[in-house]
Amino acid sequence: MTTQLTELDAKAAETGANATRVFQEKARGTVQTSTDRVAAVASAALAALHGVIRDYDVTYAEYDALKSWLIQVGADGEWPLFLDVFVEHVVEETVNANRQGSKGTIEGPFYVPNAPRAEGETTLPMRDDEPGTPLTFSGQVRSVDGTALAGALVELWHADALGFYSQFAPGLPEWNLRGAVVADKEGRFSFHTVQPAPYQIPHDGATGKLIAAAGWHAWRPAHLHLKVSAPGYQLVTTQLYFEGGQYNDSDIASAVKPELMIAPADGSVTYDFVLAPE
Ligand code: DHB
Ligand code: FE
C-alpha cells in the first residue's frame, strides 16, 4: 500500500528528528536502578515477546520484517512518537494510579519548557491570520483541600487548526500556540487561543507503515495539552478534549478519559485543576 502525502502532512522524518532532539535535551533526571530490577523488568519484557512469537507461530520472514522495521523507526527518529502513542498511556496510568486531584494523561512528544509567560491572563502567541475558531480557556487551580493556589503555573500547548505543533512541523513561528500563565491571588488563569484540530501522527515513516499494515487510522482527537504545577504540589500533566469530537472514541494514543472533556459555549470554557500535595 502506498501512502499519498500532501504538503499539509507533517513529514515523519522531520517531525521525528525534532521530537528526538527535544526529548534528548529534556532532563527528566537520571534513574538509579538496581541490577535486580533491571534483570526482572528486562526478563519479563523479553518473556512477553517470546510468548507472542510462540502464540502466533511467527516465521523467519516476519522476524526479519520486525528487525527491519525496528531499524527504520530509529532511522526516522520516530521512537519518541511511537512510544508516546503506543506505550506512554500505560506508564501514566501506572504512575498516577493513586494520585488525588485532577486526572492526568500522556504528555506526548511535543512539550517544550520555558514558553512565554504572563500573569493571570494571556493570549497565546499566534500568527496574525491564525486559522481556527477563537477559544477562551480559563479556570482556577486549587489544592485537594480546596485552597486556591495563588502563583500556580499553568502551561498550555496545542496544535494549530491544521493539526501542526510549532517547533516540530516546519514553517511556524517558534512559540506558536504555546504559553504559560501564573495564576492570580485566587488561583485563576485565562488563555485566549484558537481551537486545535484533530492531529494525524506523521504517517510516511515507520510508525505510519505499521499503522497502514495493521489497517488502523493515525488520528488523535483535537486536544489541549497542559501542565499545572505549584511549589509543594505534584505536577499534573494532562490533556483536554472537546465533547463530541471526532476520534474521541478511537484515539490512536489511547489517552482520552471521561474526566478530560470540555464543551466550549460561545467560544469560552472553564476547567478547574486540583493538585495533590507532594
Ligand atoms: C503524538 C502526538 C500528540 O499530539 C500527542 O498528544 C501524543 C502523541 C505523536 O505524534 O506521537
Ligand atoms: Fe498532542
Side-chain angles (χ1 to χ4, degrees):
M1 147 164 203
T2 53
T3 315
Q4 198 66 39
L5 269 187
T6 73
E7 59 188 299
L8 287 183
D9 287 305
K11 303 288 185 289
E14 182 163 4
T15 310
N18 285 328
T20 299
R21 174 182 47 76
V22 166
F23 174 74
Q24 282 172 332
E25 285 164 7
K26 173 173 76 180
R28 225 195 276 262
T30 51
V31 58
Q32 290 295 330
T33 309
S34 69
T35 321
D36 283 354
R37 182 165 167 84
V38 173
V41 173
S43 299
L46 290 168
L49 181 57
H50 301 158
V52 171
I53 294 166
R54 291 191 187 101
D55 290 351
Y56 288 85
D57 291 318
V58 168
T59 66
Y60 257 105
E62 289 168 336
Y63 174 61
D64 286 349
L66 171 65
K67 261 185 172 172
S68 153
W69 178 81
L70 288 167
I71 291 165
Q72 198 57 44
V73 177
D76 291 343
E78 282 201 316
W79 280 117
L81 275 61
F82 178 84
L83 290 168
D84 291 352
V85 164
F86 291 110
V87 180
E88 188 189 354
H89 68 100
V90 184
V91 180
E92 191 282 324
E93 183 187 300
T94 303
V95 167
N96 294 326
N98 299 316
R99 195 191 60 209
Q100 290 184 291
S102 294
K103 271 283 174 216
T105 191
I106 65 168
E107 175 174 321
F110 300 144
Y111 171 67
V112 184
N114 306 316
R117 186 183 288 200
E119 304 282 330
E121 178 171 6
T122 197
T123 299
L124 288 190
M126 64 178 83
R127 294 161 287 182
D128 290 340
D129 55 352
E130 189 67 45
T133 310
L135 174 69
T136 295
F137 170 67
S138 36
Q140 188 189 30
V141 186
R142 296 187 297 271
S143 160
V144 283
D145 68 8
T147 317
L149 294 178
L153 181 67
V154 183
E155 296 173 88
L156 173 64
W157 73 102
H158 63 82
D160 67 13
L162 296 174
F164 295 131
Y165 285 88
S166 59
Q167 300 188 40
F168 294 87
L172 294 168
E174 186 178 18
W175 293 104
N176 212 56
L177 303 177
R178 297 174 179 275
V181 161
V182 179
D184 70 11
K185 286 200 296 287
E186 296 175 333
R188 296 189 189 281
F189 64 88
S190 189
F191 291 94
H192 303 283
T193 183
V194 294
Q195 263 191 233
Y199 168 81
Q200 188 174 29
I201 68 168
H203 51 279
D204 61 324
T207 304
K209 226 172 166 176
L210 170 66
I211 289 168
W216 302 334
H217 73 64
W219 291 90
R220 299 214 59 224
H223 55 280
L224 304 175
H225 285 272
L226 291 129
K227 281 183 183 281
V228 184
S229 59
Y233 289 85
Q234 297 179 57
L235 167 93
V236 171
T237 299
T238 195
Q239 300 182 24
L240 296 174
Y241 304 91
F242 297 86
E243 236 171 72
Q246 201 181 3
Y247 309 114
N248 277 350
D249 298 327
S250 62
D251 179 13
I252 184 78
S254 311
V256 177
K257 301 182 185 183
E259 297 87 346
L260 302 178
M261 290 296 155
I262 53 174
D266 298 327
S268 291
V269 73
T270 64
Y271 192 91
D272 295 344
F273 294 97
V274 177
L275 302 187
E278 271 174 350

